[in-house]
Amino acid sequence: MLEKTSNLAFTSIYTELGISNEVLEYSNQILTNLKDRFEQIDRISELNQLKVLSAFQKNKVSEACLQGTTGYGYNDFGRETLERVYADVFHTEDALVRPQITCGTHALALALMSNLRPGDELLSPVGKPYDTLEEVIGIRESKGSLKEYGISYQQVDLLPDGTFDYDGIRKAIHDKTKMVTIQRSKGYQTRPSFSVAQIGQLIKFIKDIRKDLIIMVDNCYGEFVEEIEPSDVGADIMVGSLIKNPGGGLAPIGGYLVGKREYIEHAAYRLTAPGLGREVGASLGVLSLFYQGFFLAPTVTASAVKGAIFAANLYKPLGFSVLPDEKESRHDIIQAITFHKRDALLAFCQGIQAASPIDSYVNPEPWDMPGYDSEVVMAAGTFISGASIELSADGPLREPYTAYFQGGLTWPHVKFGMMKTLQNLIDKNIISKDILIF
Ligand SMILES: *Cc1c(COP(=O)(O)O)cnc(C)c1O
């Protein structure tokens, strides 16, 4: 493999794209040590690919399924079949997969607002939820929050070592507790992401206390990273975004909910209207992209996971701290790299942008994003606006100057993207090429 990559065609295309020989050699050296891990990732994607294929075949997905409906969208055969495919892949009774679900936050809000009633309480046993959920729940004052509807919230933080506070969780469950929300991915926090097995243990613990509690798992960034999903270990509802892993980079919009029939039905009535539920909601022209994207999702996710591991192994030896660390097993596609330097974080993100297929000539500038307490820099030269299954990175411009990087539709592209970030740090004299050890 090394002989091949050092041959003329490779060196010249990399040179043409601005990658020096030092960076190329260093990267390939790192990769020789990752062979076994990449093989393991390929095995996971093989299994998940076959799971998806099998669900397509079992449900007799046909050319007619790829056509969409308009207007009310009654009898949308393709939409109904796709929902059965999702339910089969995730081993659940039912699924709701719709372009009318605008994003991951919307899908999560739908699951919560449709299954909770005034007087109920929601519990997060894994600490603070994703930023945007704070407004859904009403942790931060917001119009239309659960809090406004008289639904209360309790949170049990993780223990200092990142594990579950089982005593605290037991104490937090009482008569009003109705639903539990578990976020699989750390998102943009510094806690570890949870493995599906860990989530399974937590669910078992909670169900042993009260088996009627509805357990929802926020599965954003987690789909197809492992061989099993939270729905295989007792989650009653599992929720995610189609512009992340399960959309395979093709879905232009959308979210999904899978789980027990009763809870999915509640969500459908909330998404459209009482009485209408899942029977309406035209799929317009997106079904073929939903199908094809879901079909590609296992291998696209594998590329993103390889990219995250490569990034950790590329930057760790250069003295930067990485989370997850270079050896850790993976439960989502996010990689954090901490630079402790403003210009280094900027150079990293500019490298990502410069490596993108779209808008590669644009220079990402820091901006004051609403809702953030510092400037943020974002790099995303993506086909689908804001799609974080595509190569993308962002970071708040404050100590510790951490870049959160994720995505990549193909492995060669993520590999190149990471090399480009490193090259940019060298070109800007932020790090010296002499520290690239061979
Ligand atoms: C992305 C994400 C969300 C929200 O998804 P959006 O599509 O950005 O609204 C929620 N939870 C986690 C863990 C996420 O990664």
Side-chain angles (χ1 to χ4, degrees), residues 4-58:
K4 254 197 199 151
T5 48
S6 58
N7 79 21
L8 217 59
F10 275 89
T11 347
S12 74
I13 187 76
Y14 274 116
T15 308
E16 193 183 310
L17 287 163
I19 304 294
S20 65
N21 266 326
E22 289 91 355
V23 169
L24 179 58
E25 290 292 318
Y26 172 68
S27 302
N28 284 334
Q29 193 65 44
I30 298 285
L31 284 174
T32 54
N33 298 325
L34 294 177
K35 265 174 126 169
D36 290 350
R37 291 191 71 185
F38 280 23
E39 232 165 70
Q40 180 58 24
I41 294 167
D42 287 336
R43 274 183 60 77
I44 295 171
S45 79
E46 181 178 339
L47 184 79
N48 285 323
Q49 179 71 81
L50 297 178
K51 253 196 247 175
V52 173
L53 177 67
S54 162
F56 270 56
Q57 296 185 347
K58 179 185 157 206

Side-chain angles (χ1 to χ4, degrees), residues 103-105 108 130 132 183 185 187 218 220-221 241 244:
C103 61
T105 305
L108 289 157
Y130 198 73
T132 54
Q183 185 181 313
S185 168
D218 173 354
C220 283
Y221 287 133
S241 162
K244 293 178 179 172

Side-chain angles (χ1 to χ4, degrees), residues 136-173:
V136 171
I137 295 167
I139 301 172
R140 276 188 280 143
E141 285 302 319
S142 181
K143 289 204 168 72
S145 68
L146 292 173
K147 191 177 164 200
E148 254 192 19
Y149 285 87
I151 295 158
S152 57
Y153 171 72
Q154 249 205 94
Q155 174 177 314
V156 178
D157 288 332
L158 297 171
L159 295 171
D161 65 354
T163 57
F164 305 127
D165 176 4
Y166 284 115
D167 282 341
I169 295 167
R170 189 196 310 276
K171 285 186 198 123
I173 295 173

Side-chain angles (χ1 to χ4, degrees), residues 337-353:
I337 306 166
T338 294
F339 294 101
H340 292 295
K341 265 176 149 180
R342 180 188 161 94
D343 56 351
L345 170 58
L346 278 174
F348 178 89
C349 290
Q350 286 161 355
I352 295 276
Q353 188 76 35

Side-chain angles (χ1 to χ4, degrees), residues 102-108 129-133 183-188 191 218-222 239-244 254 332 334 386 388:
T102 55
C103 61
T105 305
H106 186 189
L108 289 157
Y130 198 73
D131 260 25
T132 54
L133 276 198
Q183 185 181 313
R184 174 175 177 181
S185 168
K186 65 181 172 302
Y188 302 118
R191 69 155 169 91
D218 173 354
N219 205 32
C220 283
Y221 287 133
V239 179
S241 162
L242 297 198
I243 63 168
K244 293 178 179 172
D332 64 22
I334 301 180
S388 45

Side-chain angles (χ1 to χ4, degrees), residues 288-301:
S288 83
L289 296 169
F290 279 17
Y291 276 109
Q292 196 175 353
F294 197 48
F295 181 72
L296 294 176
T299 51
V300 170
T301 301

Side-chain angles (χ1 to χ4, degrees), residues 69 87 112 184 193 212 311 337 339-340 352 390 425 427 436:
T69 53
L112 295 171
R184 174 175 177 181
S193 292
D212 60 325
I337 306 166
F339 294 101
H340 292 295
I352 295 276
E390 298 186 51
L425 282 153
D427 292 348
L436 305 184

